[in-house]
């Protein structure tokens, strides 16, 4: 698959490295010369420029990309990059920081495919480490497994169903659940899903899209 990553900071560089290690084609867009040099040294094709500029993203191959990840600290730039991606038929993943108000989160969440919170992911890893666990244990045990957090949106066939009633691929498991804007916790079989909920799913990588389709509205 082909991916465009906007922003080669901590989040962007790590994501790009993982994708490349799995054999995907990755191009980096950044307006910082030092980060572009670092990405080039790391072996990536790069485009130096503003990731919110459509011409820059076209130079990076957005017209044939499968997805764009906008991972800079600037929410507005990330959102603009995702809107260009939407225009070109890409899957869009937006980075947002935890300190934004709920109404701002909701505004952006409606327009992109996925939102990630680096602080939330980092805090989860730190907590697990402090409790004596290994945050990377799943990746260490099976490189073909994928962890993902999905939002249950209006129109999803999962709305109104209990956890035990979900028809997921045999290899998929929901290991955490949270109401809108609430922390994820271990779900109970009788927990009924509502629009706006988030679920954390572990599945074989080649079944991830099937899981996503199962939990998404029919027209998504």
């Amino acid at each position: 698959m082909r991916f465009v990553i906007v922003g080669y900071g901590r989040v962007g560089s790590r994501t790009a490295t993982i994708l490349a290690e799995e054999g995907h084609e990755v191009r980096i867009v950044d307006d910082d010369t030092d980060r572009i040099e670092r990405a080039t040294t790391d072996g990536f094709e790069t485009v130096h420029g503003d990731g919110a500029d459509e011409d820059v993203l076209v130079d990076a191959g957005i017209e044939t990309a499968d997805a764009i990840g906008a991972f800079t600290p600037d929410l507005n730039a990330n959102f603009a990059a995702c809107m260009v991606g939407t225009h070109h038929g890409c899957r869009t993943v937006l980075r947002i920081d935890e300190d934004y108000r709920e109404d701002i989160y909701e505004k952006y969440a409606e327009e992109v495919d996925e939102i990630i919170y680096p602080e939330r992911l980092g805090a989860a890893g730190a907590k697990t480490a402090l409790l004596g666990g290994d945050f990377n244990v799943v990746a260490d045990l099976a490189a073909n497994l994928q962890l993902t957090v999905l939002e249950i949106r209006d129109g999803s066939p999962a709305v109104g169903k209990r956890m035990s009633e979900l028809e997921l691929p045999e290899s998929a498991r929901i290991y955490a659940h949270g109401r809108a804007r609430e922390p994820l916790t271990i779900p109970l079989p009788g927990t009924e899903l509502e629009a706006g909920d988030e679920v954390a799913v572990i599945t074989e990588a080649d079944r991830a899209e099937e899981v996503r389709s199962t939990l998404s509205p029919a027209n998504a």
Side-chain angles (χ1 to χ4, degrees), residues 1 9 15 22 28 52 58 66 86 104 118 128 148 150 163 169 176 187 202:
M1 297 177 70
T15 304
E22 294 181 355
I28 306 299
V58 168
D66 294 288
T86 297
I104 294 178
T128 302
T148 186
L150 302 173
M163 292 289 177
I202 181 170

Side-chain angles (χ1 to χ4, degrees), residues 25 42 67 69 107 117 132 149 153 156 213:
E25 180 182 321
D42 290 341
K107 169 188 171 183
Y117 307 84
V149 177
R153 300 185 178 183
S156 166
S213 299

Side-chain angles (χ1 to χ4, degrees), residues 71-196:
F71 300 143
T72 79
D74 185 335
L75 175 57
N76 290 322
N78 291 345
F79 184 69
C82 285
M83 292 303 94
V84 174
T86 297
H87 175 71
H88 289 282
C90 287
R91 178 171 178 74
T92 54
V93 179
L94 173 78
R95 170 187 172 175
I96 189 170
D97 295 326
E98 285 277 45
D99 55 357
Y100 283 100
R101 301 191 313 271
E102 183 173 353
D103 60 326
I104 294 178
Y105 159 82
E106 291 175 348
K107 169 188 171 183
Y108 288 104
E110 291 176 355
E111 302 293 336
V112 300
D113 291 306
E114 294 292 344
I115 286 181
I116 64 163
Y117 307 84
E119 295 91 343
R120 180 184 295 182
L121 295 173
K127 182 192 75 170
T128 302
L130 287 167
L131 293 173
D134 182 355
F135 193 60
N136 295 316
V137 66
V138 173
D140 293 340
L141 288 174
N144 68 319
L145 293 182
Q146 180 172 321
L147 304 174
T148 186
V149 177
L150 302 173
E151 180 186 358
I152 305 298
R153 300 185 178 183
D154 284 321
S156 166
V159 172
K161 287 189 176 180
R162 297 182 176 87
M163 292 289 177
S164 59
E165 296 173 335
L166 293 177
E167 297 179 359
L168 298 175
E170 186 176 351
S171 62
R173 297 288 184 274
I174 292 179
Y175 66 92
H177 163 265
R179 299 298 183 195
R181 303 293 291 168
E182 292 183 0
L184 298 180
T185 60
I186 296 174
L188 298 174
T191 300
E192 187 172 297
L193 289 165
E194 302 174 358

